[in-house]
Amino acid sequence: MEFSLSATQAAVQQLARKFADERVAPLSREMDEQGAMPLALISDMAAVGLLGGPLPAEHGGGAWDKVSAALCYEELGRVDSSVRGFMTVHSSLVAQCIQQWGSVEQRRQYLPMLISAESIGCYCLTEPNAGSDAASMEATAVPDGAGYRLNGEKIWITNGGIAQLAIVFASTDRTLRHKGVGAFLVPTNAPGFVRRKMPGRELGHRAADHAHIRLENIYVPVDSMLGGPGEGFRVAMSALDHGRLGVAAGAVGVAQACLDASVAFARERRQFGQRVGDFQMIQAALADMAADVEAARQLTLRAAWMQDQGLKSTRATSIAKLFAVEAAVRAANEAVLLHGGRGYTNEYPVERYLRDIKGLQIYEGTAHIQRIVIARDLLGKDTVP
Ligand SMILES: Cc1cc2nc3c(=O)[nH]c(=O)nc-3n(C[C@H](O)[C@H](O)[C@H](O)COP(=O)(O)OP(=O)(O)OC[C@H]3O[C@@H](n4cnc5c(N)ncnc54)[C@H](O)[C@@H]3O)c2cc1C
């Protein structure tokens, strides 16, 4: 059993840490207040090699292993969940999915553009009436000549307002449920691709872009299909294996950030003539947080390692996502309390960590759905919910 990082993995960690601390951290509060992420930041992520990191060298990627990708997501997540979320969707849900399922031509056409950020990707699965139960989707793909006509509605689509390329899931036969789903690569400038910002002010991830998308009779040629006919649900679920690892690692980053902020505050703030960190109750909170961070990190890196070995890793990845996110929820909750009134304002970052972490508990399968995936694997049932 080897717990140390290879030189390549340590270099990726350093690269991501430097980018997070020097390039993202100074912008985080302003991005959260303004509700947007500068496109220049995305180009910079591409320029330093982060966006293409998990992709093969032949298309211009960094050929990172999964452990390296997890280390990168942890570093970004430690500083800003909106930025980490952008990259998880773009690089893991979209680009890695094209790498895994795309034809030689699709990979050649799309991966270099995604790696360089010339094209931004989004993943369109959720619908108003199909969230956790994605197989009940109502969007349709009806054969039309040498292609398909897509109709339907997608919601909560991260990067949806700024993306040039969408992976759209739609049913070619609704009676077949998940076996009738197709995945399609759709340019967002296709006639009938109508998008607007999600309504309402969001609790967290305020710098992220979340769109409501209408598919109004969009024509796509048959070679825009990713995977074969009826394989779309498998495409969607395998993308979630990549994405959930990114979310788990991002949650480790959030938990670590809560611990770092809490230790610094407990050392500095004095009450009753001593540092608040000298009170045993505060020490216990910090110790529990540190134990949670370590456990979450080990579970996440183990799931990443299993993916690297080509082992069946759906259960391990769901366990990592479930535990790491719940650990980060506990850490953020405690961190706000530990900061007292100061934790309640955005003068300190911990209130943003608490708002953001709720998003990780919901997307790419809620905490309830992760428990279902784990339990079905334990009980020997099909892992598709
Ligand atoms: C910030 C953010 C970003 C997102 N980005 C994307 C994106 O890029 N692409 C995309 O396609 N979607 C995206 N989503 C959507 C997200 O994946 C869904 O919100 C999520 O899958 C839950 O679906 P839902 O909101 O319809 O909730 P529902 O499925 O309606 O669930 C409501 C509640 O019921 C629970 N529940 C449902 N079924 C069961 C069950 N069988 N057993 C027990 N409890 C159950 C859920 O856990 C939840 O607590 C995003 C969401 C958020 C908040």
Side-chain angles (χ1 to χ4, degrees), residues 269-328:
R269 175 70 177 161
R270 298 183 75 82
Q271 286 293 280
F272 299 96
Q274 54 185 322
R275 305 180 308 174
V276 297
D278 294 327
F279 298 119
Q280 283 190 352
M281 242 188 283
I282 301 292
Q283 291 172 358
L286 294 175
D288 286 348
M289 223 186 272
D292 261 351
V293 170
E294 286 304 329
R297 182 176 291 123
Q298 297 312 324
L299 285 172
T300 301
L301 292 177
R302 180 169 169 273
W305 176 85
M306 286 175 74
Q307 291 193 12
D308 280 331
Q309 304 307 309
L311 300 172
K312 189 169 176 293
S313 58
T314 300
R315 190 206 308 181
T317 307
S318 280
I319 288 177
K321 188 199 180 234
L322 176 65
F323 186 87
V325 173
E326 303 290 79

Side-chain angles (χ1 to χ4, degrees), residues 85 89 93-94 121-134 154-160 167 169 198 202 204-206 208-211 240 244 356 358-372 376 385:
V89 171
L93 283 187
V94 177
C122 66
Y123 170 94
C124 307
L125 182 66
T126 305
E127 301 182 358
N129 294 319
S132 300
D133 182 13
K154 299 287 177 180
I155 58 171
W156 274 115
I157 305 307
T158 302
N159 306 342
I167 300 183
F169 298 93
M198 284 297 288
E202 289 151 26
H205 290 71
R206 288 189 175 161
D209 174 78
H210 298 127
L240 290 178
R244 281 173 183 165
D356 283 345
K358 293 304 288 183
L360 283 79
Q361 214 178 18
I362 294 169
Y363 55 64
E364 303 207 22
T366 65
H368 302 134
I369 296 302
Q370 301 311 321
R371 288 184 170 93
I372 291 173
R376 286 195 175 175

Side-chain angles (χ1 to χ4, degrees), residues 106-146:
Q106 285 170 334
R107 280 187 250 157
R108 234 184 250 143
Q109 183 180 354
Y110 294 113
L111 291 182
M113 289 198 295
L114 290 166
I115 289 170
S116 66
E118 198 185 321
S119 187
I120 290 172
C122 66
Y123 170 94
C124 307
L125 182 66
T126 305
E127 301 182 358
N129 294 319
S132 300
D133 182 13
S136 67
M137 72 177 63
E138 294 170 354
T140 54
V142 175
D144 180 3

